[in-house]
Amino acid sequence: MGSLLLVLLLLLLSPSYPRGGSARRRRSARTQSPGGRSHPPFWVRVSPDFTAVPLGGSLWLNCSSSCPLPEGSSLRTELRRGETLSGPRWAAYQLLDVRAWSSDVHCFVTCAGETRGATARITAYKQPSSVILEPPVLTGSDYTLRCHVTHVFPVRFFVVALRRGGRVIYSESLERFTGLDLANVTLTYLLPSRPRDSGQPVTCHARLNLDGLVVLSSSSPVTLPVPAWSPASKALASTSIAGCVGIFLVMGALCLRKYLSMQPPA
């Protein structure tokens, strides 16, 4: 029995015997690189990760990380860069004169020899210089409505709508226009004329929607004209009025004659 206790005591005192701290050492060893340097997990964020700016505008991007001691940060972009500001765990980059329709900007941070990154998307847009609705023209039984939207970008993200009063009577998406240049757009629509539409105001609206950014532009209201009478309609109306007047005169004469016949002789 004594010899058994002696063997157990020797095992406990042996350097190779596994102790509670050895598990911690094994976990620590898994975080070490072959050269002995640690690679703690960390995140990299860029803010804002999506933004839309007016054509030729500027903005700031902030690149931050959870690395306690970052070794450096960088930005990769084809956009024109301005100033750079930095602090603990962050760096801010200025981007100037944004004119590309859509650009990806990459931010990188190096921590304990490992480099990670995050990506932001920058979009440029151009609000219409003008939205003009021509005075409606009544041709036959239809009003011709023509709306001009000038100098818009990017065209394919615009929707043009016509409103009569407060109600949309027609709308059209311009997604078929795939060009990436400033453009002018003309929308033509034939509105069937109805008597109750005469004198109603009509407006044209251009709407841009870029992932939640909504830009609206509207024309001045125009009034639907009262249909003009054609010569045939005027002749028919004149004949009808003359006929009615003639009937009233004949009926009046008959009534007067009957009244006079019923009077006693003087």
Side-chain angles (χ1 to χ4, degrees):
M1 184 68 178
S3 60
L4 179 60
L5 292 175
L6 179 61
V7 171
L8 292 175
L9 180 61
L10 291 174
L11 288 173
L12 290 174
L13 295 176
S14 173
S16 62
Y17 184 81
R19 294 175 173 80
S22 64
R24 289 191 295 272
R25 285 195 296 272
R26 288 195 296 272
R27 286 195 298 269
S28 176
R30 285 196 295 268
T31 64
Q32 299 290 323
S33 65
R37 300 185 65 185
S38 62
H39 289 266
F42 69 101
W43 50 256
V44 177
R45 294 174 184 166
V46 60
S47 177
D49 58 359
F50 172 83
T51 188
V53 297
L55 191 66
S58 304
L59 73 152
W60 285 86
L61 284 182
N62 184 71
C63 184
S64 59
S65 74
S66 62
C67 178
L69 294 173
E71 298 171 10
S73 64
S74 61
L75 195 73
R76 188 175 69 195
T77 177
E78 295 181 356
L79 299 175
R80 178 184 167 192
R81 291 179 52 173
E83 298 182 54
T84 299
L85 303 176
S86 61
R89 303 185 186 182
W90 65 269
Y93 303 93
Q94 186 184 31
L95 301 177
L96 304 173
D97 193 26
V98 179
R99 294 187 175 276
W101 139 239
S102 182
S103 302
D104 287 338
V105 180
H106 307 278
C107 170
F108 297 98
V109 174
T110 301
C111 182
E114 182 180 358
T115 300
R116 297 186 179 184
T119 301
R121 175 156 293 183
I122 311 299
T123 295
Y125 70 93
K126 173 68 170 62
Q127 186 172 1
S129 298
S130 62
V131 179
I132 301 172
L133 181 60
E134 293 183 3
V137 177
L138 183 60
T139 304
S141 60
D142 295 325
Y143 293 107
T144 299
L145 301 175
R146 187 169 286 110
C147 179
H148 304 279
V149 183
T150 64
H151 292 88
V152 293
F153 171 84
V155 179
R156 69 174 181 263
F157 288 93
F158 274 88
V159 175
V160 178
L162 295 171
R163 290 178 178 268
R164 180 185 56 222
R167 184 177 180 181
V168 175
I169 57 177
Y170 181 75
S171 67
E172 181 176 339
S173 172
L174 305 182
E175 58 186 4
R176 68 181 185 276
F177 296 96
T178 58
L180 296 179
D181 298 319
L182 285 173
N184 300 324
V185 178
T186 298
L187 175 69
T188 302
Y189 177 66
L190 296 180
L191 173 66
S193 64
R194 296 178 299 180
R196 65 175 178 270
D197 290 337
S198 300
Q200 289 288 320
V202 178
T203 51
C204 181
H205 303 262
R207 177 172 58 88
L208 170 68
N209 192 337
L210 288 173
D211 286 350
L213 171 70
V214 178
V215 178
L216 295 173
S217 300
S218 302
S219 71
S220 300
V222 298
T223 302
L224 293 175
V226 177
W229 287 22
S230 65
S233 300
K234 291 181 179 180
L236 179 61
S238 300
T239 303
S240 300
I241 293 173
C244 290
V245 171
I247 292 173
F248 284 128
L249 290 175
V250 171
M251 290 181 63
L254 292 175
C255 291
L256 180 60
R257 183 176 179 181
K258 184 176 181 181
Y259 172 77
L260 292 176
S261 65
M262 294 176 62
Q263 296 298 318

